[in-house]
Amino acid sequence: MKRLLLTLLTMVSLGAFAQSADKLYEEGKKLYDAKNYTAAFPKLKAAAEKGHKKAQYRLGRCYDKGNGTTENDQLAFQWYEKSARQGHAKAQYQLGKCYKDGEGVTKNRKKAFELFMQAAKQKNADGEYAVGKAYFKGKGVDADKTQAKKWLSRAVNNEKGGKDVLADLRKDAAEGDEDAKAMLALIGK
C-alpha cells in the first residue's frame, strides 16, 4: 500500500512537472515569436532547465543570436546539444551547424554531417538540404552526386520549409554562387 501511494505521488509530481514546463515553454514561445526576447528568455530558460526539449532548442537560439541575453556560442551549443539528445530535429540541425562552423565547439565536419542526417531523417528541410550539400561538396562524407540529388530534391520539395530552401538556393545562384547554380541544375530547378 505504501509503495502504491508513493508511485501515485511520483506520477502526480511528474505530471505537474511536465505541465509547468509546458506552460512555461508556451508562454516563452509566444513572447519569443512576438520578438519580446527579454521577457521570453527567463520563461524559456526555466522550461529548458526542467528538460523541455523545445525550450532547450529556443534557449539555444537565444544564446546563438543574442536574443534576450548576451550572445554566447558555448551556451548555445550546450542547449542545442541537450535538445538534440532528446531527438529534436531543429536542434540536431543547429548543433550540426555548430560543428560545421566551429561555433562553441571544435569544427568537425563528420559530426556535423551525422547531426544533419539525424534531422533529415525526421524530414527537416534544413537538415535535408545540409545533407544534400554535404554529399554534393564531399564535406564530412564522400562526395556522391546521386545522394546529393536525392537529399536536395527532398529538401526543396519538403512541405515544411522546402519553398524557403529553394528560394535561398535561387537567391544564392542569382548572386553568383557557383555551387548553388550547380545544385539547382542537378535537381532540375
Side-chain angles (χ1 to χ4, degrees), residues 22-76:
D22 287 342
K23 185 177 179 186
L24 285 165
Y25 170 71
E26 289 304 325
E27 291 171 359
K29 180 185 181 301
K30 185 182 261 189
L31 291 164
Y32 186 95
D33 291 344
K35 298 189 184 341
N36 186 350
Y37 303 122
T38 304
F41 181 81
K43 292 183 181 290
L44 292 172
K45 187 170 190 214
E49 288 171 345
K50 291 177 183 275
H52 195 284
K53 68 183 179 183
K54 290 181 180 180
Q56 291 169 337
Y57 161 73
R58 286 206 184 241
L59 189 61
R61 296 293 291 163
C62 287
Y63 282 116
D64 194 359
K65 301 297 178 189
N67 293 337
T69 189
T70 303
E71 190 175 318
N72 185 317
D73 290 343
Q74 287 78 22
L75 287 173

Side-chain angles (χ1 to χ4, degrees), residues 15-141:
F17 168 82
Q19 288 175 349
S20 63
D22 287 342
K23 185 177 179 186
L24 285 165
Y25 170 71
E26 289 304 325
E27 291 171 359
K29 180 185 181 301
K30 185 182 261 189
L31 291 164
Y32 186 95
D33 291 344
K35 298 189 184 341
N36 186 350
Y37 303 122
T38 304
F41 181 81
K43 292 183 181 290
L44 292 172
K45 187 170 190 214
E49 288 171 345
K50 291 177 183 275
H52 195 284
K53 68 183 179 183
K54 290 181 180 180
Q56 291 169 337
Y57 161 73
R58 286 206 184 241
L59 189 61
R61 296 293 291 163
C62 287
Y63 282 116
D64 194 359
K65 301 297 178 189
N67 293 337
T69 189
T70 303
E71 190 175 318
N72 185 317
D73 290 343
Q74 287 78 22
L75 287 173
F77 172 83
Q78 289 171 16
W79 286 108
Y80 287 148
E81 185 175 43
K82 287 176 192 244
S83 180
R85 284 186 179 162
Q86 293 190 68
H88 191 54
K90 288 180 180 181
Q92 291 166 337
Y93 169 73
Q94 289 298 332
L95 190 61
K97 280 182 58 179
C98 290
Y99 276 106
K100 179 180 82 66
D101 299 331
E103 293 179 356
V105 67
T106 302
K107 189 183 277 194
N108 183 332
R109 290 278 189 165
K110 187 174 180 179
K111 182 70 175 168
F113 177 81
E114 291 168 7
L115 287 156
F116 291 149
M117 183 59 85
Q118 288 175 18
K121 286 182 177 178
Q122 293 187 65
K123 298 183 178 168
N124 176 279
D126 291 325
E128 291 169 338
Y129 172 69
V131 167
K133 189 173 181 180
Y135 274 121
F136 183 81
K137 296 182 82 171
K139 301 275 184 154
V141 66

